[in-house]
Amino acid sequence: MAASVPGKVVYDQEGVFIHSSCGKLEDQDSLIPGTLRVVEKDMEVIVDWRPLEETLDSSNILFAAKDSSSVVQWNQSPKERNICGPEHQGSYEAEWDMVNTVSFKKRQFANGGIQSPVNIQSKWSFLFSLTDLKSIKQNKEGMGWSYLVFCLKDDVILPALHFHQGGSELLLECLEKYVVLCESEQDSRILLVDCQNRSLSQSFENLHEEPTDTLVQKFKRDPYTVTMDNFSKVTNFFRATDPATHQRPPQEIADFLGDAIPDLKINQQEESGFEVITRIDVGTRPEVHRRDPVSTVEWESNMDSEGRIRNVDHLKHIIFKGGLCQALRKEAWKYLLGYFSWDSTREERAQQQKRKADEYFRMKLQWKSVSEEQEKRNSRLRDYRSLIEKDVNRTDRTNKFYEGQDNPGLILLHDILMTYCMYDFDLGYVQGMSDLLSPVLYVMENEVDAFWCFVSYMDQMHQNFEEQMQGMKSQLVQLSTLLRFLDSGFCSYLESQDSGYLYFCFRWLLIRFKREFSFHDILRVWEVMWTDLPCQNFHLLICCAILESEKKKIMDGGFGFNEILKHINELSMKLDVNDVLCKAEAISLQMMKCKVLQCTL
């Protein structure tokens, strides 16, 4: 059997079968269930299929059917129910909270596949590098599922992989991030592979084979994907059409970005060969140190006998300086996000949770009770559901809370996002929102509390996702102004490389660094920002801190447009959270001492 491939898993799908007995589908032994993964490792992309092992994972969780309001309830044995006790079973926590006592069973897949001992199946394991892939044949089986056949460059044809539980389209979408797949002129079922870095090579002209109006609509509906994918795809547009200059005319670049992000001010008035730099003495930058996370003892010492929080300003300060220990987050985040009032009592919070639970499930019932016939006549609800299902299936799937198939965490992620569409139907669902909900649900471990905390977070982030994207426009302009004040020389360098518009910070701002830090580090970053200390726009100072850390590499390396884009994107998951937060805080203290600070700053 092939050894496990270490690296970053970017696609993971169970229920992918090999049919070992050519078409005899009625024979269970002919179906070999397995797991298909796509893994990034050492600048290489590996496709890896292996038979399922006898392991217990979250995909094997059993849970009961749902009632009319679709409350997820986990199976518990009689013994486990007795342990909980009757007083706990009737409580708010027992009724709605996610319970960790779950049962497992040996997987029996649809279509008759049963997991077999590994030593019988090990000969079927295979893996290959994406650079060795020549073509993919895609087809549908008579039973309704799809299957794919990989052909390698040395004309080795691998066994057909049958996707009994779906996922073949997601696989192709994943592979298209690394290679270009084109239909064969001879057979439309065959996708030919052109191994080049698609994200940095597809031309602007190819992107605009579709009408401009269509692109603009996609940008409004899906700003995260269109911006971070399409901006990286149009690098050739910003490069030479004129062989002598190797650069697009500045006004042409300005017009393009101005159409995509109105209000982004682009200065094209300076004459070539001259650089206007206004230097301001911002003083020395102080040295900053972080402290340990706030402990439960510190938190409880700031609470009176009725449960009110005392010394709120002091508590926010120490949270800003060190974050929270994991045991506190479930409670403290509700205050930081505004779900709980700092001066509320325990009794008031308990009553509020009950009211909010009723309100949540009334909204949830609205979309749960929509029939298929009704949904056929509601295109917006269909679109929301389609986007949510697509995003949920690829959100934090390497985190144990969301890994595997039929994961309870994924079900709750889906249901909360669908219910949010009922809460704010005008906004509905926009891609990127699942990234904001995922850590909140992970911390809350509770459907109702996670929903209302997410609502509070979306109140802060709402403008980022609105059709006009006013929040994103404002933040990009503010960041540009801030960076020019702090380091006009670096700004001028970025502008000389057509990167002065800071569009590469779009993902940072849209989903608040969710893809830049590790999952557990982003919990720390968010709770620090939610204190609103030292200012409401502390996230812009975090952007400046990251850019300052990368300035030397960018300028000393003479990075051009492509290299800057690639370098910034590759920072994902490599940032040191304490270093970034220290630098951002130091920048804020330095600016506060500056006597000539502009009023706009």
Side-chain angles (χ1 to χ4, degrees), residues 298-316:
E298 287 179 293
W299 179 267
E300 291 170 359
S301 68
N302 282 275
M303 186 175 290
D304 67 18
S305 59
E306 293 185 325
R308 297 184 185 88
I309 302 295
R310 301 173 301 187
N311 302 322
V312 176
D313 290 342
H314 169 70
L315 203 53
K316 285 185 177 181

Side-chain angles (χ1 to χ4, degrees), residues 473-518:
K473 299 171 189 175
S474 299
Q475 288 174 92
L476 284 168
V477 171
Q478 290 166 358
L479 180 58
S480 178
T481 303
L482 186 58
L483 190 62
R484 180 167 293 281
F485 171 79
L486 292 170
D487 196 332
S488 57
F490 186 35
C491 264
S492 296
Y493 177 83
L494 292 175
E495 288 173 355
S496 72
Q497 303 301 323
D498 304 328
S499 298
Y501 326 112
L502 307 180
Y503 62 85
F504 45 76
C505 297
F506 191 98
R507 182 174 70 186
W508 299 0
L509 300 172
L510 181 70
I511 53 176
R512 286 296 194 270
F513 311 102
K514 168 60 169 52
R515 299 288 182 91
E516 316 315 316
F517 292 93
S518 70

Side-chain angles (χ1 to χ4, degrees), residues 179-195:
V179 296
V180 177
L181 299 177
C182 306
E183 283 189 5
S184 168
E185 294 181 359
Q186 288 75 30
D187 188 342
S188 60
R189 297 173 302 172
I190 296 178
L191 299 175
L192 302 177
V193 178
D194 180 10
C195 287

Side-chain angles (χ1 to χ4, degrees), residues 341-396:
S341 171
W342 291 96
D343 60 358
S344 62
T345 64
R346 292 189 189 91
E347 179 62 26
E348 289 170 342
R349 293 192 293 272
Q351 292 300 318
Q352 179 184 358
Q353 284 182 305
K354 290 180 180 179
R355 291 194 305 271
K356 290 297 188 180
D358 290 340
E359 186 177 350
Y360 171 77
F361 284 107
R362 280 196 299 270
M363 289 186 291
K364 183 172 182 178
L365 190 58
Q366 291 174 5
W367 65 266
K368 292 291 290 185
S369 59
V370 172
S371 67
E372 291 184 10
E373 288 300 317
Q374 285 178 296
E375 191 163 318
K376 287 179 181 177
R377 294 184 291 274
N378 191 331
S379 60
R380 290 186 68 184
L381 183 60
R382 287 199 312 273
D383 289 345
Y384 290 156
R385 186 191 295 273
S386 176
L387 276 173
I388 289 170
E389 289 175 352
K390 183 178 180 181
D391 275 9
V392 162
N393 281 326
R394 60 189 183 188
T395 299
D396 292 323

